[in-house]
Amino acid sequence: MQTFRYSVGPWNIHTGADTFGPTVRQEVPFAKKLEKFKEIGFDAIQLHDDDAVPNINDYEGDALLAKVKALKGQLGDAGLAVEFVAPRLWEDSRTRDGAYTANLKQLRDYANERSKKAIEIANELGTKNIVLWLAREGNFVPESKSAVRSIEYLVEAINRMLEQDKDIRILIEPKPNEPVDKSFIPTVGHALALGYGTIDHSRVGVLIESAHSLLAGLDPADDMAFALSQNKLWGVHLNDQNGLKFDQDRAFGSVNLRQAFSQVKLLMETGYGQNGEYVGLDVKALRTQSDDKAFKHLSNSLFAVERLADKVRSLDLEFINARQQDTDYEDLDRYIINHLLG
Ligand code: GLO
Ligand code: MG
């Protein structure tokens, strides 16, 4: 069984602002984040298009590429590869009604232009992966959009990207709600079906975030297993979540250790990572933490993955196999609990 390579995004170091209150920590400079990531043990970075090029709306063509080249040098010096680029299509005022599914054509055009830039950035940074978290593609008012037409818009947008660049792959990151009330692509099943409807479904897969599966009432490991069965699990965002509420991005394993164990066990047993996939995190420090402690959610998450990986390695597979055969699942359950507690 292999060891994992890890990735993380700069937004995982966060100022602690939430919907009900302002920032509680200083913004950490990008260069400092890179240094910290490397020190904690990450191999690659995940980037939004505007993490790569701040104020991205002000740049295009050669000016955009010059910015990306400078970043490439910085990442090389920091010893971090790039896992993916994701167009951040939920923060611009033009994407308030959704991006690819906005009702106004000029707004959809803006989303498509942004996606084109994300691909240019990815090419320059040497990654083929474009992640689409379809944050605002959904509704609050059912009558506000045609859901059928919206799915067509999404297929058209993905087709445009697949056509623009014959090498890129699209990783859809499904989430059932937040910031929208009801997302058009709430689950992995929806994401994969959307991919199968595009012009080249071999280049459309998924990135699964543990908390997003939980918010959909599903088990993250089972969701990942489904995607793996289709060879479509191209990325993960490991984290944790306490029940059905807002997306908490808690440190991996901090809420439900058994579910975390199931995810690590699955990823190890199926050889996840052998085609270059990273074990990515999407976690936030608790708002109560002071500046100097607001990195520990990252090291804690990696610690949980590694400790659980040890637990997977030391499983008594013969015992498990025998219980599968004699169907004594109570004994199996007790064995796993004892193993995790031991
Ligand atoms: C929010 C998402 C978000 C994405 C990131 C990459 O709920 O999980 O953090 O993972 O923007 O596209
Ligand atoms: Mg995520």
Side-chain angles (χ1 to χ4, degrees):
M1 286 184 206
Q2 84 287 10
T3 51
F4 296 129
R5 291 187 309 156
Y6 298 105
S7 74
V8 66
W11 64 93
N12 282 220
I13 296 175
H14 186 252
T15 52
D18 68 18
T19 334
F20 298 98
T23 60
V24 290
R25 292 184 289 264
Q26 298 290 317
E27 183 61 64
V28 175
F30 185 72
K32 180 81 190 159
K33 290 185 182 183
L34 298 184
E35 204 181 287
K36 273 282 173 190
F37 290 154
K38 193 68 193 172
E39 186 186 305
I40 292 170
F42 291 97
D43 305 285
I45 190 161
Q46 314 163 9
L47 290 168
H48 293 119
D49 55 353
D50 58 354
D51 291 321
V53 182
N55 305 314
I56 190 168
N57 290 325
D58 299 343
Y59 301 95
E60 58 185 14
D62 288 346
L64 182 80
L65 285 187
K67 289 271 165 198
V68 185
K69 282 197 169 88
L71 170 67
K72 195 176 179 181
Q74 191 182 10
L75 293 175
D77 292 345
L80 290 165
V82 176
E83 183 191 12
F84 65 70
V85 176
R88 183 141 44 190
L89 291 172
W90 51 94
E91 287 195 354
D92 196 278
S93 63
R94 276 163 289 192
T95 56
R96 74 180 77 163
D97 184 34
Y100 307 121
T101 67
N103 274 331
L104 299 184
K105 180 168 183 314
Q106 72 262 32
L107 303 183
R108 296 196 301 277
D109 288 347
Y110 170 72
N112 289 322
E113 277 308 308
R114 271 290 286 265
S115 310
K116 220 168 145 188
K117 284 187 186 176
I119 293 174
E120 289 169 24
I121 295 171
N123 270 329
E124 191 59 39
L125 292 176
T127 176
K128 294 185 188 332
N129 295 336
I130 300 293
V131 166
L132 296 184
W133 170 43
L134 302 167
R136 295 190 191 278
E137 318 295 0
N139 65 41
F140 283 88
V141 177
E143 297 76 16
S144 64
K145 288 179 185 180
S146 156
V148 173
R149 186 69 191 117
S150 296
I151 299 299
E152 287 166 7
Y153 282 147
L154 289 172
V155 170
E156 284 165 17
I158 294 173
N159 283 347
R160 214 171 272 122
M161 290 181 245
L162 293 170
E163 260 166 10
Q164 183 195 332
D165 186 306
K166 300 290 180 220
D167 292 323
I168 55 122
R169 315 192 299 174
I170 306 292
L171 286 66
I172 301 171
E173 181 182 345
K175 183 178 180 184
N177 61 283
E178 198 205 28
V180 283
D181 183 14
K182 293 170 287 143
S183 163
F184 292 133
I185 304 296
T187 69
V188 174
H190 290 80
L192 291 181
L194 188 72
Y196 287 122
T198 64
I199 51 170
D200 187 358
H201 62 76
S202 71
R203 290 195 283 138
V204 186
V206 289
L207 179 151
I208 297 183
E209 174 164 327
S210 323
H212 297 182
S213 296
L214 292 166
L215 287 170
L218 299 169
D219 178 78
D222 287 347
D223 254 1
M224 291 172 190
F226 181 69
L228 281 164
S229 77
Q230 319 279 306
N231 292 320
K232 292 293 191 188
L233 188 66
W234 299 345
V236 292
H237 269 171
L238 297 187
N239 59 13
D240 217 338
Q241 171 75 23
N242 192 8
L244 298 178
K245 48 187 87 163
F246 63 96
D247 185 4
Q248 296 183 304
D249 292 335
R250 298 284 301 276
F252 183 62
S254 66
V255 177
N256 190 327
L257 213 47
R258 180 82 176 265
Q259 273 175 351
F261 172 69
S262 297
Q263 291 168 69
V264 173
K265 179 170 176 288
L266 173 82
L267 296 178
M268 289 177 75
E269 286 174 351
T270 53
Y272 178 86
Q274 279 169 9
N275 300 313
E277 304 90 351
Y278 289 95
V279 169
L281 299 183
D282 200 351
V283 292
K284 285 202 176 65
L286 300 170
R287 195 165 190 270
T288 43
Q289 301 309 289
S290 56
D291 296 68
D292 58 326
K293 297 184 186 65
F295 303 100
K296 292 188 179 178
H297 59 303
L298 300 170
S299 46
N300 285 358
S301 295
L302 296 194
F303 170 74
V305 176
E306 297 283 337
R307 289 282 281 125
L308 290 169
D310 285 343
K311 288 289 175 190
V312 174
R313 286 187 199 98
S314 56
L315 280 171
D316 182 346
L317 297 181
E318 265 176 41
F319 179 86
I320 294 175
N321 192 38
R323 297 297 76 75
Q324 288 177 353
Q325 295 308 311
D326 68 15
T327 67
D328 191 341
Y329 299 154
E330 300 298 348
D331 261 14
L332 180 56
D333 211 22
R334 183 190 168 99
Y335 166 70
I336 296 292
I337 289 167
N338 191 42
H339 187 68
L340 290 179
L341 290 172

